[in-house]
Amino acid sequence: RRRHSFPTRRSSDLMNMLRRVEPYVTYGYPTRKTIKSLVYKRGYGRFNRQRIPLCSNELVEQGLGKYGIKCMEDIVNEIHSFGKNFKEVTNFLYPFRMNSARKGLEKKRHSYMNEGAHGPRDIFINELIQRML
């Protein structure tokens, strides 16, 4: 069975997957500043199946140099612009480990549209991420 990569899926397929997990997650469109603070503060890369903090551009070039990505800013740019090497960059990065949000979450049982915590936040995801950093 052939698996499709993330960028080739139709948007309706992605929206159907998001609707299934919507009561458990929140999602939105982060700004470049938010992505940059996440990568610089919580960025870890995969090297020989090990989780290594991305503390220098040499590590980034060693891991992603064959795709033309040489520094942390290139990683931020690929994620923000959904570039041609987006899949390679996201596979290289470990998932971000976040803290609990300062001042807690809103009502967990309700969606964001109903003054709750889960569901689509669009651009308001940035405020939540800043509280979690």
Side-chain angles (χ1 to χ4, degrees), residues 21-28 110-113 117-122 125:
V21 298
E22 191 170 33
Y24 310 104
V25 298
T26 187
Y27 54 93
H110 300 289
S111 70
Y112 183 71
M113 298 300 190
H118 62 80
R121 288 182 181 244
D122 292 329
I125 193 75

Side-chain angles (χ1 to χ4, degrees), residues 38-39 42-54 79 88-97:
L38 275 172
V39 169
R42 308 269 182 197
Y44 286 85
R46 292 182 201 271
F47 291 100
N48 300 325
R49 297 183 181 176
Q50 293 180 342
R51 184 173 179 257
I52 307 292
L54 297 177
I79 293 172
E88 287 80 11
V89 169
T90 54
N91 285 338
F92 172 72
L93 288 174
Y94 262 83
F96 299 116
R97 292 184 179 177

Side-chain angles (χ1 to χ4, degrees), residues 21-75:
V21 298
E22 191 170 33
Y24 310 104
V25 298
T26 187
Y27 54 93
Y29 303 104
T31 60
R32 182 180 181 84
K33 179 183 173 189
T34 302
I35 295 170
K36 183 176 180 177
S37 64
L38 275 172
V39 169
Y40 276 89
K41 203 168 195 179
R42 308 269 182 197
Y44 286 85
R46 292 182 201 271
F47 291 100
N48 300 325
R49 297 183 181 176
Q50 293 180 342
R51 184 173 179 257
I52 307 292
L54 297 177
C55 54
S56 69
N57 288 333
E58 288 82 25
L59 292 172
V60 174
E61 187 171 3
Q62 182 183 355
L64 294 169
K66 59 186 170 189
Y67 302 110
I69 298 169
K70 301 194 182 300
C71 63
M72 300 282 274
E73 286 298 320
D74 290 342
I75 289 177

